[in-house]
């Protein structure tokens, strides 16, 4: 199918960019350098980032992208997740990899790859998503790690990154079965056995999105209305970083106000509740007649 070939193309871009990004992860490198390089590489391939490049260091599991001027560097002996998305005319792919900069963290990074591999082996039409959650948890536990229960994989459709079906990372009853021709992002997150196995929100927010539904423009000051309209037209409801806004300092106060009143949604940075390190591996996968095809 022509549609599926476009998803395959998108996935191939995501894979190449992920591999390049992982090679950049070294102690002392600025996080912003890696994320900007990822986003630029995606654009060089004629696609767009589906969301800002996420970089999660140690206990930070998800939703951190460097804000403008960020000075954060990769600390020594850390574990680093790079999570990126590609949109090729709305044909989305979503992938993540973990780089461990310390031998004692390598087993967890490796386990997240093994767990994902086992989950993908179990994927075929008609399999319950709860079965995939079971495989993920069982495999992680057998390797000596806990999964993060409140982060999940998701179905992907054109222009829809989180479409319908959810894929749990723990063995819980969950509605839904995998369907042939459908595309899913599978993304086990692992932490240590000492970890809580769940993430909590920090106050820090680095990724935003114009709130859904019809944008009501009444009761906004003219400058607020102007910024909201601009962001809505430019990002089309997709997540963005303030790094992508020229002269952000000039509109920072207005942006903060729009977040405060809920017209702009913020995605808080998510951290492991007990501060334990987290590993994540993610692929976008097409369910085929006999099994699954990894697109990323
Ligand atoms: Mn992802
Ligand atoms: Mn995902």
């Amino acid at each position: 199918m022509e549609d599926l070939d476009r998803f395959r193309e998108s996935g191939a871009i995501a894979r190449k960019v992920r591999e390049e990004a992982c090679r950049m992860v070294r102690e002392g490198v600025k996080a912003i350098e890696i994320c900007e390089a990822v986003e630029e590489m995606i654009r060089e391939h004629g696609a767009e980032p589906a969301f800002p490049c996420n970089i999660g260091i140690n206990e930070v599991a998800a939703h951190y992208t460097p804000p403008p001027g960020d000075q954060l560097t990769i600390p020594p002996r850390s574990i680093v997740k790079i999570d990126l998305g590609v949109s090729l005319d709305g044909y989305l792919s979503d992938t993540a990899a973990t780089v461990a900069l310390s031998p004692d963290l390598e087993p967890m990074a490796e386990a997240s790859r093994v767990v994902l591999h086992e989950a993908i082996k179990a994927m075929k039409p008609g399999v319950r998503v709860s079965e995939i959650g079971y495989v993920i948890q069982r495999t992680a536990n057998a390797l000596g790690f806990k999964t993060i229960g409140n982060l999940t994989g998701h179905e992907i459709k054109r222009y829809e990154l989180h479409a319908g079906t959810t894929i749990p990372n723990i063995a819980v009853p969950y509605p839904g079965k995998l369907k042939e021709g459908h595309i899913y992002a599978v993304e086990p997150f692992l932490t240590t056995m000492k970890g809580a196995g769940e993430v909590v929100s920090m106050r820090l927010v680095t990724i935003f999105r114009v709130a859904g539904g019809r944008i009501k423009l009444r009761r906004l000051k003219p400058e607020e209305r102007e910024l909201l309209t601009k962001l809505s037209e430019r990002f089309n409801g997709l997540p963005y970083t303030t790094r992508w806004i020229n002269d952000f300092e000039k509109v920072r106060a207005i942006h903060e106000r729009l977040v405060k009143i809920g017209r702009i949604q913020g995605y808080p940075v998510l951290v492991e509740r007990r501060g334990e390190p987290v590993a994540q591996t993610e692929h976008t996968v097409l369910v085929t007649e006999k099994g699954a095809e990894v697109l990323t």
Side-chain angles (χ1 to χ4, degrees):
M1 233 160 69
E2 188 191 316
D3 241 30
L4 292 181
D5 279 339
R6 298 289 278 164
F7 275 112
R8 287 187 178 100
E9 246 182 280
S10 170
I13 295 169
R15 179 179 64 242
K16 274 185 225 155
V17 174
R18 182 195 64 227
E19 285 167 358
E20 280 297 319
C22 286
R23 280 193 274 275
M24 291 183 73
V25 176
R26 300 230 172 90
E27 176 186 342
V29 175
K30 277 190 183 167
I32 198 168
E33 241 175 71
I34 297 171
C35 289
E36 286 184 337
V38 162
E39 293 157 7
E40 200 183 303
M41 283 188 276
I42 292 171
R43 293 190 176 106
E44 279 167 4
H45 280 94
E48 285 292 322
F51 49 83
C53 170
N54 285 218
I55 185 163
I57 298 172
N58 297 334
E59 73 277 16
V60 175
H63 295 175
Y64 183 83
T65 197
D70 193 21
Q71 294 299 311
L72 176 71
T73 58
I74 307 285
R77 295 175 298 283
S78 54
I79 186 161
V80 181
K81 283 83 63 194
I82 305 282
D83 190 337
L84 61 99
V86 169
S87 172
L88 194 64
D89 293 330
Y91 295 95
L92 305 172
S93 51
D94 186 1
T95 187
T98 296
V99 180
L101 296 178
S102 154
D104 57 311
L105 289 165
E106 181 53 35
M108 186 163 64
E110 175 59 17
S112 75
R113 294 188 279 270
V114 172
V115 169
L116 177 59
H117 183 71
E118 289 300 315
I120 291 169
K121 275 205 302 192
M123 291 175 79
K124 61 181 181 193
V127 170
R128 290 174 196 280
V129 297
S130 57
E131 169 69 15
I132 304 301
Y134 169 75
V135 169
I136 288 173
Q137 177 166 12
R138 188 196 54 196
T139 311
N141 291 166
L143 293 166
F145 298 97
K146 219 179 232 187
T147 58
I148 305 270
N150 60 346
L151 290 173
T152 61
H154 47 95
E155 190 171 352
I156 290 180
K157 289 184 178 156
R158 192 173 179 203
Y159 285 113
E160 260 187 283
L161 188 64
H162 295 95
T165 306
T166 293
I167 301 183
N169 284 323
I170 43 170
V172 284
Y174 222 94
K177 287 178 180 174
L178 302 177
K179 292 189 185 128
E180 185 181 344
H182 286 226
I183 291 169
Y184 305 87
V186 191
E187 48 182 315
F189 286 82
L190 269 54
T191 188
T192 67
M193 284 295 189
K194 278 195 286 179
E198 71 177 34
V199 289
V200 290
S201 296
M202 281 179 80
R203 208 166 287 170
L204 179 64
V205 177
T206 62
I207 298 173
F208 303 91
R209 168 181 175 271
V210 174
R214 264 183 60 217
I215 314 160
K216 296 178 218 113
L217 295 177
R218 274 175 305 158
R219 278 178 294 142
L220 289 179
K221 292 181 189 146
E223 64 269 26
E224 293 168 352
R225 187 179 313 164
E226 194 193 335
L227 180 62
L228 196 63
T229 306
K230 239 163 89 181
L231 293 172
S232 166
E233 284 170 0
R234 172 149 174 220
F235 301 118
N236 231 326
L238 288 175
Y240 64 87
T241 157
T242 54
R243 279 188 285 109
W244 294 347
I245 301 167
N246 287 331
D247 289 326
F248 179 67
E249 280 314 312
K250 284 187 191 158
V251 294
R252 178 185 288 278
I254 306 166
H255 192 267
E256 271 169 17
R257 165 97 186 128
L258 288 168
V259 173
K260 205 173 163 192
I261 62 175
R263 296 298 180 91
I264 291 174
Q265 181 197 345
Y267 295 90
V269 173
L270 300 174
V271 296
E272 210 290 319
R273 185 160 65 79
R274 292 194 190 129
E276 285 296 299
V278 174
Q280 171 206 18
T281 305
E282 177 177 24
H283 275 310
T284 298
V285 174
L286 166 69
V287 170
T288 59
E289 192 189 338
K290 286 178 189 160
E293 175 187 339
V294 177
L295 304 183
T296 49

